[in-house]
Amino acid sequence: MVEIRKATKEQAADIARLIMMAMTDECCLSFCGEGRGLEDFRKMMTLLVERVDSQYSYKNTYVALDGQKVVGISVSYDGARLHELRCPFLDLAKIYIGRDHSGMDAETQAGELYLDSLAVLPEYRRQGIAQRLIEVTKQRADEMGLPCVGLLVDDGNPVGKALYAAVGFRYVGDSHWGGHAMEHLVL
């Protein structure tokens, strides 16, 4: 049976791979500078997950575990802390992916627990794991006193949109991130 737990630092490499799965290879590559690729991005993301001061920190992550195997993740943080939590990404991006992203738009704002990344390994999908990860994320928002969970979903992701609608997310506006048109949803 798959269990949902708070992540540990030792799971960083698995969490980083799942964050990249949620972002898609195309999106990850769009962040990379010339001569840099997915392996460079993965190294950077693993380091960011290992940190406690990063938006991608294991401290901001719930994992779905099948035994010891990480099969799903939910990474979320207080939207009001985006700029503070993004600083490690900006610093490491210059080193590992050769780009300065300091002008990047904000994908969240104060007043929401931002669900940055949600992913489940393909062979574990359609078993309710993503829904359970969303439920613990909503519980976290409640515990933090935040009124909602917010996220961005790619306009070209009908499966994601259907999942989010089924668990009660509602559309609040259009956005653009990672080179893609997105919809901002809240729960």
Side-chain angles (χ1 to χ4, degrees):
M1 180 168 158
V2 173
E3 293 182 78
I4 308 296
R5 293 195 179 169
K6 288 190 174 206
T8 66
K9 186 176 181 177
E10 294 73 30
Q11 297 163 329
D14 293 328
I15 294 166
R17 282 188 200 95
L18 283 160
I19 291 170
M20 290 176 65
M21 180 185 298
M23 292 175 73
T24 75
D25 287 353
E26 176 189 359
C27 182
C28 293
L29 287 170
S30 76
F31 281 104
C32 293
E34 191 172 323
R36 308 293 172 90
L38 293 175
E39 183 60 21
D40 301 301
F41 197 90
R42 187 197 58 74
K43 287 177 187 173
M44 177 189 72
M45 291 305 296
T46 300
L47 291 172
L48 290 169
V49 174
E50 289 174 345
R51 295 176 68 137
V52 297
D53 62 346
S54 157
Q55 67 197 93
Y56 301 108
S57 174
Y58 70 95
K59 295 275 192 180
N60 296 330
T61 304
Y62 284 97
V63 290
L65 297 170
D66 184 1
Q68 296 300 311
K69 181 179 182 180
V70 177
V71 301
I73 53 122
S74 168
V75 180
S76 62
Y77 55 86
D78 182 345
R81 296 186 61 211
L82 169 65
H83 296 291
E84 163 198 346
L85 294 172
R86 185 183 275 171
C87 286
F89 172 85
L90 298 175
D91 292 342
L92 291 182
K94 292 173 188 172
I95 298 165
Y96 285 89
I97 58 175
R99 296 272 306 271
D100 179 358
H101 288 290
S102 57
M104 188 171 20
D105 291 335
E107 65 260 33
T108 184
Q109 66 276 324
E112 69 180 14
L113 181 68
Y114 183 64
L115 179 52
D116 185 287
S117 302
L118 178 72
V120 175
L121 291 175
E123 63 270 28
Y124 285 86
R125 292 180 185 160
R126 302 205 181 278
Q127 298 177 31
I129 296 169
Q131 184 171 346
R132 290 174 55 207
L133 287 164
I134 292 168
E135 288 169 4
V136 299
T137 302
K138 179 61 174 144
Q139 289 171 359
R140 183 170 186 233
D142 294 343
E143 290 166 5
M144 294 172 71
L146 293 168
C148 66
V149 175
L151 60 81
L152 295 182
V153 62
D154 194 306
D155 276 349
N157 183 356
V159 174
K161 286 182 183 183
L163 166 67
Y164 299 132
V167 298
F169 278 90
R170 60 183 168 65
Y171 170 84
V172 293
D174 291 324
S175 189
H176 195 81
W177 188 85
H180 292 264
M182 303 285 217
E183 290 183 8
H184 184 191
L185 309 178
V186 296
L187 174 66

mmCIF file of all heavy atoms in Angstrom, residues 103-132:
data_model
loop_
_atom_site.group_PDB
_atom_site.id
_atom_site.type_symbol
_atom_site.label_atom_id
_atom_site.label_comp_id
_atom_site.label_asym_id
_atom_site.label_seq_id
_atom_site.Cartn_x
_atom_site.Cartn_y
_atom_site.Cartn_z
ATOM 1 N N GLY A 103 14.985 37.880 -13.602
ATOM 2 C CA GLY A 103 13.831 38.619 -14.104
ATOM 3 C C GLY A 103 12.581 37.772 -14.283
ATOM 4 O O GLY A 103 11.585 38.245 -14.847
ATOM 5 N N MET A 104 12.606 36.551 -13.791
ATOM 6 C CA MET A 104 11.486 35.626 -13.967
ATOM 7 C C MET A 104 10.226 36.138 -13.256
ATOM 8 O O MET A 104 10.295 36.659 -12.150
ATOM 9 C CB MET A 104 11.889 34.255 -13.404
ATOM 10 C CG MET A 104 10.906 33.168 -13.686
ATOM 11 S SD MET A 104 11.460 31.477 -13.259
ATOM 12 C CE MET A 104 12.770 31.656 -12.101
ATOM 13 N N ASP A 105 9.089 35.975 -13.907
ATOM 14 C CA ASP A 105 7.806 36.370 -13.329
ATOM 15 C C ASP A 105 7.477 35.511 -12.116
ATOM 16 O O ASP A 105 7.899 34.360 -12.011
ATOM 17 C CB ASP A 105 6.672 36.211 -14.356
ATOM 18 C CG ASP A 105 6.767 37.207 -15.490
ATOM 19 O OD1 ASP A 105 7.368 38.277 -15.293
ATOM 20 O OD2 ASP A 105 6.238 36.916 -16.577
ATOM 21 N N ALA A 106 6.670 36.060 -11.224
ATOM 22 C CA ALA A 106 6.180 35.324 -10.056
ATOM 23 C C ALA A 106 5.023 34.421 -10.483
ATOM 24 O O ALA A 106 4.124 34.862 -11.192
ATOM 25 C CB ALA A 106 5.714 36.291 -8.982
ATOM 26 N N GLU A 107 5.072 33.165 -10.053
ATOM 27 C CA GLU A 107 3.983 32.248 -10.387
ATOM 28 C C GLU A 107 2.963 32.125 -9.273
ATOM 29 O O GLU A 107 1.974 31.410 -9.407
ATOM 30 C CB GLU A 107 4.524 30.870 -10.775
ATOM 31 C CG GLU A 107 5.233 30.139 -9.671
ATOM 32 C CD GLU A 107 6.749 30.227 -9.746
ATOM 33 O OE1 GLU A 107 7.292 31.247 -10.195
ATOM 34 O OE2 GLU A 107 7.395 29.259 -9.329
ATOM 35 N N THR A 108 3.175 32.812 -8.170
ATOM 36 C CA THR A 108 2.273 32.771 -7.030
ATOM 37 C C THR A 108 2.324 34.110 -6.313
ATOM 38 O O THR A 108 3.069 35.005 -6.712
ATOM 39 C CB THR A 108 2.638 31.605 -6.076
ATOM 40 O OG1 THR A 108 1.679 31.535 -5.018
ATOM 41 C CG2 THR A 108 4.027 31.757 -5.497
ATOM 42 N N GLN A 109 1.534 34.225 -5.259
ATOM 43 C CA GLN A 109 1.500 35.454 -4.478
ATOM 44 C C GLN A 109 1.055 35.133 -3.057
ATOM 45 O O GLN A 109 0.673 34.003 -2.767
ATOM 46 C CB GLN A 109 0.549 36.485 -5.108
ATOM 47 C CG GLN A 109 -0.916 36.078 -5.093
ATOM 48 C CD GLN A 109 -1.303 35.186 -6.261
ATOM 49 O OE1 GLN A 109 -0.806 35.354 -7.359
ATOM 50 N NE2 GLN A 109 -2.182 34.235 -6.017
ATOM 51 N N ALA A 110 1.095 36.145 -2.206
ATOM 52 C CA ALA A 110 0.634 35.980 -0.833
ATOM 53 C C ALA A 110 -0.822 35.534 -0.835
ATOM 54 O O ALA A 110 -1.582 35.852 -1.751
ATOM 55 C CB ALA A 110 0.785 37.292 -0.071
ATOM 56 N N GLY A 111 -1.195 34.770 0.178
ATOM 57 C CA GLY A 111 -2.586 34.349 0.326
ATOM 58 C C GLY A 111 -2.880 32.964 -0.198
ATOM 59 O O GLY A 111 -4.040 32.548 -0.204
ATOM 60 N N GLU A 112 -1.845 32.237 -0.641
ATOM 61 C CA GLU A 112 -2.077 30.864 -1.081
ATOM 62 C C GLU A 112 -0.867 30.002 -0.750
ATOM 63 O O GLU A 112 0.256 30.483 -0.683
ATOM 64 C CB GLU A 112 -2.389 30.782 -2.575
ATOM 65 C CG GLU A 112 -1.242 31.109 -3.505
ATOM 66 C CD GLU A 112 -1.609 31.015 -4.989
ATOM 67 O OE1 GLU A 112 -2.803 30.955 -5.334
ATOM 68 O OE2 GLU A 112 -0.685 31.006 -5.809
ATOM 69 N N LEU A 113 -1.144 28.739 -0.495
ATOM 70 C CA LEU A 113 -0.088 27.740 -0.442
ATOM 71 C C LEU A 113 0.085 27.305 -1.886
ATOM 72 O O LEU A 113 -0.847 26.748 -2.485
ATOM 73 C CB LEU A 113 -0.474 26.549 0.442
ATOM 74 C CG LEU A 113 0.610 25.472 0.561
ATOM 75 C CD1 LEU A 113 1.814 25.994 1.332
ATOM 76 C CD2 LEU A 113 0.062 24.228 1.231
ATOM 77 N N TYR A 114 1.226 27.607 -2.463
ATOM 78 C CA TYR A 114 1.439 27.335 -3.875
ATOM 79 C C TYR A 114 1.886 25.896 -4.076
ATOM 80 O O TYR A 114 2.915 25.482 -3.550
ATOM 81 C CB TYR A 114 2.468 28.307 -4.459
ATOM 82 C CG TYR A 114 2.657 28.102 -5.935
ATOM 83 C CD1 TYR A 114 1.617 28.335 -6.829
ATOM 84 C CD2 TYR A 114 3.866 27.649 -6.442
ATOM 85 C CE1 TYR A 114 1.783 28.132 -8.182
ATOM 86 C CE2 TYR A 114 4.044 27.448 -7.801
ATOM 87 C CZ TYR A 114 2.989 27.689 -8.671
ATOM 88 O OH TYR A 114 3.153 27.477 -10.010
ATOM 89 N N LEU A 115 1.106 25.144 -4.822
ATOM 90 C CA LEU A 115 1.442 23.760 -5.179
ATOM 91 C C LEU A 115 2.333 23.837 -6.409
ATOM 92 O O LEU A 115 1.866 23.912 -7.536
ATOM 93 C CB LEU A 115 0.180 22.940 -5.438
ATOM 94 C CG LEU A 115 0.368 21.477 -5.849
ATOM 95 C CD1 LEU A 115 1.275 20.728 -4.893
ATOM 96 C CD2 LEU A 115 -0.988 20.792 -5.952
ATOM 97 N N ASP A 116 3.613 23.868 -6.165
ATOM 98 C CA ASP A 116 4.612 24.078 -7.211
ATOM 99 C C ASP A 116 4.737 22.864 -8.112
ATOM 100 O O ASP A 116 4.822 22.993 -9.329
ATOM 101 C CB ASP A 116 5.958 24.402 -6.559
ATOM 102 C CG ASP A 116 7.022 24.761 -7.563
ATOM 103 O OD1 ASP A 116 7.513 23.850 -8.262
ATOM 104 O OD2 ASP A 116 7.371 25.953 -7.650
ATOM 105 N N SER A 117 4.794 21.682 -7.510
ATOM 106 C CA SER A 117 5.019 20.460 -8.288
ATOM 107 C C SER A 117 4.199 19.314 -7.718
ATOM 108 O O SER A 117 4.230 19.061 -6.513
ATOM 109 C CB SER A 117 6.499 20.061 -8.249
ATOM 110 O OG SER A 117 7.314 21.103 -8.740
ATOM 111 N N LEU A 118 3.508 18.634 -8.607
ATOM 112 C CA LEU A 118 2.752 17.427 -8.269
ATOM 113 C C LEU A 118 3.060 16.416 -9.354
ATOM 114 O O LEU A 118 2.866 16.706 -10.540
ATOM 115 C CB LEU A 118 1.249 17.714 -8.229
ATOM 116 C CG LEU A 118 0.346 16.525 -7.939
ATOM 117 C CD1 LEU A 118 0.464 16.096 -6.475
ATOM 118 C CD2 LEU A 118 -1.107 16.862 -8.263
ATOM 119 N N ALA A 119 3.558 15.251 -8.968
ATOM 120 C CA ALA A 119 3.887 14.225 -9.960
ATOM 121 C C ALA A 119 3.756 12.842 -9.343
ATOM 122 O O ALA A 119 4.028 12.648 -8.160
ATOM 123 C CB ALA A 119 5.309 14.420 -10.483
ATOM 124 N N VAL A 120 3.347 11.903 -10.184
ATOM 125 C CA VAL A 120 3.253 10.484 -9.817
ATOM 126 C C VAL A 120 3.873 9.694 -10.964
ATOM 127 O O VAL A 120 3.616 9.991 -12.141
ATOM 128 C CB VAL A 120 1.781 10.064 -9.586
ATOM 129 C CG1 VAL A 120 1.674 8.568 -9.316
ATOM 130 C CG2 VAL A 120 1.157 10.863 -8.439
ATOM 131 N N LEU A 121 4.695 8.716 -10.617
ATOM 132 C CA LEU A 121 5.300 7.868 -11.654
ATOM 133 C C LEU A 121 4.199 7.262 -12.526
ATOM 134 O O LEU A 121 3.143 6.879 -12.012
ATOM 135 C CB LEU A 121 6.124 6.754 -11.024
ATOM 136 C CG LEU A 121 7.406 7.173 -10.307
ATOM 137 C CD1 LEU A 121 8.046 5.958 -9.631
ATOM 138 C CD2 LEU A 121 8.385 7.821 -11.269
ATOM 139 N N PRO A 122 4.439 7.153 -13.837
ATOM 140 C CA PRO A 122 3.394 6.662 -14.745
ATOM 141 C C PRO A 122 2.762 5.332 -14.326
ATOM 142 O O PRO A 122 1.544 5.171 -14.417
ATOM 143 C CB PRO A 122 4.127 6.525 -16.086
ATOM 144 C CG PRO A 122 5.222 7.535 -16.010
ATOM 145 C CD PRO A 122 5.653 7.549 -14.560
ATOM 146 N N GLU A 123 3.567 4.399 -13.841
ATOM 147 C CA GLU A 123 3.022 3.095 -13.481
ATOM 148 C C GLU A 123 2.180 3.115 -12.205
ATOM 149 O O GLU A 123 1.511 2.132 -11.878
ATOM 150 C CB GLU A 123 4.143 2.053 -13.369
ATOM 151 C CG GLU A 123 5.164 2.330 -12.291
ATOM 152 C CD GLU A 123 6.361 3.163 -12.757
ATOM 153 O OE1 GLU A 123 6.245 3.968 -13.702
ATOM 154 O OE2 GLU A 123 7.426 3.007 -12.127
ATOM 155 N N TYR A 124 2.134 4.247 -11.516
ATOM 156 C CA TYR A 124 1.339 4.379 -10.286
ATOM 157 C C TYR A 124 0.149 5.320 -10.465
ATOM 158 O O TYR A 124 -0.575 5.586 -9.508
ATOM 159 C CB TYR A 124 2.224 4.874 -9.139
ATOM 160 C CG TYR A 124 3.134 3.808 -8.594
ATOM 161 C CD1 TYR A 124 4.374 3.571 -9.182
ATOM 162 C CD2 TYR A 124 2.760 3.022 -7.514
ATOM 163 C CE1 TYR A 124 5.221 2.586 -8.689
ATOM 164 C CE2 TYR A 124 3.584 2.034 -7.019
ATOM 165 C CZ TYR A 124 4.813 1.819 -7.610
ATOM 166 O OH TYR A 124 5.629 0.837 -7.124
ATOM 167 N N ARG A 125 -0.048 5.817 -11.662
ATOM 168 C CA ARG A 125 -1.151 6.749 -11.903
ATOM 169 C C ARG A 125 -2.493 6.025 -11.909
ATOM 170 O O ARG A 125 -2.560 4.811 -12.053
ATOM 171 C CB ARG A 125 -0.929 7.488 -13.235
ATOM 172 C CG ARG A 125 0.259 8.420 -13.136
ATOM 173 C CD ARG A 125 0.512 9.172 -14.407
ATOM 174 N NE ARG A 125 1.743 9.957 -14.262
ATOM 175 C CZ ARG A 125 2.442 10.421 -15.267
ATOM 176 N NH1 ARG A 125 2.042 10.219 -16.504
ATOM 177 N NH2 ARG A 125 3.548 11.100 -15.035
ATOM 178 N N ARG A 126 -3.532 6.812 -11.713
ATOM 179 C CA ARG A 126 -4.926 6.327 -11.709
ATOM 180 C C ARG A 126 -5.206 5.393 -10.533
ATOM 181 O O ARG A 126 -6.025 4.490 -10.617
ATOM 182 C CB ARG A 126 -5.296 5.684 -13.036
ATOM 183 C CG ARG A 126 -5.118 6.638 -14.220
ATOM 184 C CD ARG A 126 -6.005 6.264 -15.375
ATOM 185 N NE ARG A 126 -5.802 7.154 -16.487
ATOM 186 C CZ ARG A 126 -6.358 8.370 -16.623
ATOM 187 N NH1 ARG A 126 -7.110 8.849 -15.683
ATOM 188 N NH2 ARG A 126 -6.115 9.096 -17.704
ATOM 189 N N GLN A 127 -4.488 5.632 -9.431
ATOM 190 C CA GLN A 127 -4.701 4.874 -8.198
ATOM 191 C C GLN A 127 -5.087 5.807 -7.045
ATOM 192 O O GLN A 127 -5.100 5.377 -5.891
ATOM 193 C CB GLN A 127 -3.437 4.083 -7.829
ATOM 194 C CG GLN A 127 -3.037 3.047 -8.861
ATOM 195 C CD GLN A 127 -1.741 2.336 -8.485
ATOM 196 O OE1 GLN A 127 -1.435 2.156 -7.318
ATOM 197 N NE2 GLN A 127 -0.983 1.929 -9.486
ATOM 198 N N GLY A 128 -5.356 7.071 -7.347
ATOM 199 C CA GLY A 128 -5.757 8.028 -6.321
ATOM 200 C C GLY A 128 -4.603 8.671 -5.568
ATOM 201 O O GLY A 128 -4.823 9.400 -4.602
ATOM 202 N N ILE A 129 -3.372 8.412 -5.987
ATOM 203 C CA ILE A 129 -2.205 8.943 -5.271
ATOM 204 C C ILE A 129 -2.135 10.464 -5.400
ATOM 205 O O ILE A 129 -1.903 11.164 -4.404
ATOM 206 C CB ILE A 129 -0.910 8.270 -5.759
ATOM 207 C CG1 ILE A 129 -0.950 6.771 -5.428
ATOM 208 C CG2 ILE A 129 0.322 8.944 -5.157
ATOM 209 C CD1 ILE A 129 0.133 5.939 -6.087
ATOM 210 N N ALA A 130 -2.325 10.994 -6.591
ATOM 211 C CA ALA A 130 -2.279 12.455 -6.782
ATOM 212 C C ALA A 130 -3.352 13.124 -5.933
ATOM 213 O O ALA A 130 -3.092 14.157 -5.292
ATOM 214 C CB ALA A 130 -2.449 12.808 -8.252
ATOM 215 N N GLN A 131 -4.526 12.551 -5.890
ATOM 216 C CA GLN A 131 -5.605 13.118 -5.073
ATOM 217 C C GLN A 131 -5.222 13.116 -3.589
ATOM 218 O O GLN A 131 -5.450 14.097 -2.884
ATOM 219 C CB GLN A 131 -6.893 12.332 -5.288
ATOM 220 C CG GLN A 131 -8.069 12.925 -4.552
ATOM 221 C CD GLN A 131 -9.385 12.282 -4.922
ATOM 222 O OE1 GLN A 131 -9.490 11.564 -5.904
ATOM 223 N NE2 GLN A 131 -10.397 12.549 -4.123
ATOM 224 N N ARG A 132 -4.603 12.055 -3.119
ATOM 225 C CA ARG A 132 -4.171 11.994 -1.725
ATOM 226 C C ARG A 132 -3.078 13.023 -1.442
ATOM 227 O O ARG A 132 -3.048 13.642 -0.371
ATOM 228 C CB ARG A 132 -3.694 10.581 -1.376
ATOM 229 C CG ARG A 132 -4.847 9.576 -1.334
ATOM 230 C CD ARG A 132 -4.403 8.147 -1.140
ATOM 231 N NE ARG A 132 -3.572 7.978 0.055
ATOM 232 C CZ ARG A 132 -2.668 7.010 0.169
ATOM 233 N NH1 ARG A 132 -2.468 6.138 -0.805
ATOM 234 N NH2 ARG A 132 -1.954 6.905 1.278
#
